[in-house]
Amino acid sequence: KQYKYYILQKHNMSQFIKLTSMIINKNLITSVCKKHNKFHIYTIENNINGYMIFGSGGVDSSPEKIVICEEKSPEDYKIISKWIDTL
């Protein structure tokens, strides 16, 4: 399967993307992956999980993912498509 990945550079961004049900801060987006008729938008993880036991431990975080589907939300899909075309 062929997927398109978009690595975003900070200097190409204005502040926000306004969708029908949410507003996304563009500065928090790390990458966008287009899979068939969906955009997977990965953002910076705000939550960090970890543990410490006797001076050692581990920390883990994973990016949050926003999925925009062309069939379920065509308006949002068009907005994201137009935004990517401007990059």
Side-chain angles (χ1 to χ4, degrees):
K1 295 179 180 179
Q2 188 93 16
Y3 301 125
K4 293 184 179 179
Y5 286 90
Y6 302 92
I7 305 300
L8 308 175
Q9 298 176 357
K10 298 291 183 196
H11 63 81
N12 288 334
M13 296 186 186
S14 60
Q15 196 63 24
F16 297 99
I17 299 174
K18 183 178 178 186
L19 301 177
T20 56
S21 63
M22 72 178 78
I23 297 173
I24 302 171
N25 185 337
K26 293 179 187 180
N27 291 322
L28 299 179
I29 297 173
T30 58
S31 62
V32 177
C33 176
K34 184 176 182 183
K35 297 180 181 179
H36 308 293
N37 65 340
K38 295 180 182 177
F39 284 110
H40 295 252
I41 302 171
Y42 295 92
T43 62
I44 295 171
E45 175 65 39
N46 290 328
N47 298 320
I48 298 174
N49 301 315
Y51 62 92
M52 286 291 264
I53 301 174
F54 302 113
S56 65
V59 176
D60 183 33
S61 70
S62 59
E64 294 191 28
K65 179 171 69 170
I66 301 167
V67 178
I68 307 293
C69 179
E70 185 175 22
E71 294 172 4
K72 293 180 182 177
S73 45
E75 289 180 46
D76 292 343
Y77 189 87
K78 288 177 186 176
I79 291 167
I80 297 299
S81 293
K82 287 180 183 179
W83 172 64
I84 286 177
D85 289 342
T86 65
L87 298 176

